[in-house]
Amino acid sequence: MKSTRRMRAGKAALFCAVASAVGLLFCSQCSPLYPINVWGDANCLLTVGRVMREGGVLYRDIYEQKGPTLYLLHALAACISDRSFLGVYLLEIVAWGAALFSAWRIAERKDSEPVIPTLPFVALMAACVLTGAAFSRGDSAEEFCLPLFVWTMDIALAEYGRAQGPMRPSRLMACGLMAGLVATIKYTLLGLYIGLCVCEGVAAWKEGGLARAVKHAGAFLCGMLMPVLAWAVYFAAQGALGDAVQAYLIHNIFLYGAGEEMTWREALRLLRDNALWAVPAAAGLAAFCLYRDKTPAAKLCVLAMAGGQMITVFLLGRVWPYSPMAMTPFAVLAVPAARRAAGAVIRLGRGNRRQTAPRRTALGPVRGAASAGICLLAAAVAWQMTPNAFLRGQKLDDLAQGRLAGYIEEGATLLQYNHLDDGLYLTSGALPQQKYFVRLNVALDEMDQELDRYVREGIPDYVLVTWNELPQEFDRYERIAEDAGYDDSNRINKMFYLYRRKSE
């Protein structure tokens, strides 16, 4: 029995890996079908990863405001490929494959022989998420938190489905470990874990009073502190602990998107742009709460996690187009709902005809045809409906980033002066030599002053500016090229201006 389960799980893991590779190949601008990822955030992440690979210390030697684990992943990606997003694409496959495998486990729990297999629905759900606007161009912090979220849901639902009482401390510690990893990627995504802790705290208190609640809180915190303390020790050893606290905590809290609230119009636009997965996710959540085979504790846990995530994502700070990606783990709940609905339709179509063979044998042809059809539909959705299709198949030499790279000789230094990283660091092979290598969305006076100083003193060999030309006061540089590239709306109307330092 155990070997059969392992074989079934192995086949499911292989299917999830293939589904992830194909879906991301079609939809992510990090995949080999795309010449480059034109998103500024993705280029910033990879540029920082390239600097870390060469021995640079995050926050001390190069400034960015996201979490260290996210940049460590991109340092690993840079080890695979220093001049493309291939390494990121491979890491995306691992992340998505792990998330889909946990989604399969959640969907199959207490239903080992569904009329329609679960895996095709998992692939279709993934295609719907990948083609939503929240996926953006691929390579976001939310994307790499996805497997951690789904793993946590898998553990929590298994525990609360096992008994009405609280979770076992070992399982709770595992959830805490994943919360710690999320905290070191992007701590504003911890809402799901806040909801879980509230639910678990109530369950533990009800079971054993304050002592039990404190014990379970300690188990969760022990797991959560593992990655946090590991990074603290690393930064302390590098003499950069103060820089890390300033950049990742203080600047994000006080200098990033403060006081910006989402309007109802923006919320409706986000729903429209992600309706392909958001509507099924809401329906799946509602259906989950109505299932008779789910315990009240499991239902309350899911609602608490969804509510906590929604509050931290949409009500506490600025909401970007990719922000809803943090809610995509709940699209997993649409899988069992869709599978059960499809099974009901098939049973209804077969009527009350007497079956002379076991269910799996009797429905074999129907199961096979339905599974193949759903997989083909998932591939078609991923290929046709991704908003990134405009860039798929183009050559790097046809893009501004590729053409401008030809002006920069090997070993020359470069500075992106007035915008997020537009990809020229990557295509030219240049590595930032200064701490502030782009102008981030952080109201930090030191960053603005230092960027001005770099250009005023003529420190970098080349300077790239976008949208507007370099101010005339920086007369130590001459413009040598200009080009037009894609903006955030996929239109070629974003001007690139490349400047070279004048000969002394």
Side-chain angles (χ1 to χ4, degrees):
M1 182 65 72
K2 287 185 178 180
S3 62
T4 301
R5 284 200 298 266
R6 289 196 190 99
M7 184 176 297
R8 192 161 176 261
K11 291 179 180 179
L14 179 60
F15 179 92
C16 291
V18 172
S20 299
V22 173
L24 290 162
L25 184 70
F26 294 163
C27 298
S28 174
Q29 288 189 7
C30 300
S31 91
L33 292 186
Y34 293 84
I36 189 177
N37 192 319
V38 297
W39 189 22
D41 282 35
N43 281 285
C44 283
L45 295 175
L46 188 54
T47 297
V48 172
R50 294 172 61 223
V51 171
M52 291 175 65
R53 186 205 60 175
E54 294 299 320
V57 177
L58 178 63
Y59 307 128
R60 186 193 71 185
D61 300 329
I62 188 163
Y63 179 85
E64 251 278 14
Q65 88 279 9
K66 295 186 179 68
T69 299
L70 183 62
Y71 297 112
L72 176 61
L73 291 173
H74 286 79
L76 294 175
C79 292
I80 297 172
S81 176
D82 185 55
R83 300 293 289 268
S84 75
F85 279 87
L86 176 61
V88 178
Y89 169 65
L90 296 177
L91 291 180
E92 284 183 309
I93 293 174
V94 174
W96 276 85
L100 296 187
F101 180 74
S102 287
W104 169 75
R105 285 169 49 90
I106 291 172
E108 291 240 322
R109 188 163 289 118
K110 289 191 176 181
D111 193 358
S112 60
E113 287 195 19
V115 175
I116 302 295
T118 303
L119 288 171
F121 286 101
V122 170
L124 182 59
M125 179 270 292
C128 292
V129 173
L130 288 168
T131 54
F135 179 71
S136 191
R137 307 185 191 281
D139 192 20
S140 66
E142 288 77 3
E143 183 182 1
F144 285 105
C145 288
L146 180 61
L148 302 173
F149 293 147
V150 185
W151 287 345
T152 302
M153 290 176 61
D154 185 13
I155 294 173
L157 293 180
E159 287 293 288
Y160 288 124
R162 178 182 60 87
Q164 288 295 327
M167 297 172 62
R168 287 171 285 183
S170 60
R171 304 300 194 275
L172 194 57
M173 185 179 292
C175 291
L177 174 61
M178 286 179 277
L181 291 172
V182 171
T184 57
I185 291 176
K186 191 173 182 179
Y187 64 80
T188 54
L189 301 178
L190 284 171
L192 181 146
Y193 296 95
I194 294 173
L196 174 62
C197 288
V198 170
C199 188
E200 176 64 17
V202 171
W205 187 292
K206 185 177 178 180
E207 176 97 356
L210 179 61
R212 185 72 178 272
V214 170
K215 176 183 177 181
H216 282 234
F220 184 88
L221 288 175
C222 282
M224 186 173 181
L225 286 174
M226 289 181 188
V228 174
L229 291 178
W231 278 114
V233 169
Y234 165 77
F235 285 121
Q238 299 294 330
L241 185 58
D243 297 299
V245 171
Q246 283 278 341
Y248 188 44
L249 295 178
I250 296 176
H251 292 171
N252 272 312
I253 293 172
F254 297 105
L255 302 179
Y256 185 87
E260 299 185 31
E261 298 180 355
M262 183 176 62
T263 65
W264 282 107
R265 181 174 295 180
E266 291 171 333
L268 290 175
R269 185 171 63 250
L270 288 176
L271 178 59
R272 179 201 66 193
D273 293 343
N274 296 281
L276 205 58
W277 64 263
V279 173
L285 181 62
F288 184 90
C289 293
L290 295 175
Y291 291 151
R292 293 182 179 180
D293 59 349
K294 305 301 180 184
T295 64
K299 296 175 183 179
L300 288 174
C301 180
V302 165
L303 290 174
M305 289 190 292
Q309 193 79 318
M310 185 171 292
I311 290 171
T312 55
V313 170
F314 296 113
L315 300 182
L316 301 180
R318 183 164 182 175
V319 180
W320 296 95
Y322 54 82
S323 298
M325 188 71 186
M327 299 300 300
T328 57
F330 301 99
V332 168
L333 302 177
V335 173
R339 189 201 59 208
R340 291 187 183 197
V345 170
I346 290 176
R347 290 191 186 97
L348 183 64
R350 291 179 62 83
N352 296 320
R353 289 177 294 173
R354 186 175 179 180
Q355 295 182 12
T356 58
R359 186 175 71 168
R360 290 180 67 91
T361 302
L363 295 178
V366 177
R367 287 166 56 89
S371 298
I374 295 170
C375 288
L376 289 174
L377 176 61
V381 168
W383 175 265
Q384 190 64 33
M385 299 189 67
T386 173
N388 292 322
F390 73 97
L391 190 63
R392 193 169 55 211
Q394 293 194 41
K395 296 183 180 301
L396 183 58
D397 291 341
D398 296 331
L399 302 181
Q401 291 89 339
R403 290 189 291 259
L404 292 177
Y407 290 90
I408 302 175
E409 62 270 14
E410 192 74 25
T413 57
L414 172 69
L415 174 70
Q416 171 99 39
Y417 169 72
N418 70 333
H419 195 256
L420 294 176
D421 190 343
D422 283 304
L424 194 56
Y425 283 117
L426 180 65
T427 58
S428 68
L431 280 177
Q433 302 299 308
Q434 288 76 39
K435 178 177 180 178
Y436 300 102
F437 70 108
V438 293
R439 197 176 299 269
L440 300 168
N441 298 316
V442 180
L444 181 62
D445 291 339
E446 180 183 350
M447 175 177 62
D448 297 336
Q449 293 166 2
E450 284 295 280
L451 286 168
D452 287 347
R453 182 180 69 83
Y454 301 155
V455 182
R456 184 176 297 110
E457 296 179 5
I459 295 176
D461 297 321
Y462 293 88
V463 174
L464 176 69
V465 296
T466 50
W467 295 111
N468 300 309
E469 298 183 47
L470 193 66
Q472 293 184 356
E473 63 177 290
F474 302 120
D475 56 2
R476 301 190 68 168
Y477 289 87
E478 59 181 351
R479 192 174 73 194
I480 60 171
E482 63 180 68
D483 212 323
Y486 286 103
D487 64 7
D488 292 338
S489 299
N490 305 336
R491 300 169 301 184
I492 301 182
N493 67 348
K494 180 179 182 178
M495 292 304 301
F496 290 67
Y497 300 98
L498 182 63
Y499 291 80
R500 182 175 56 203
R501 188 177 55 222
K502 296 178 181 177
S503 302
E504 298 295 341

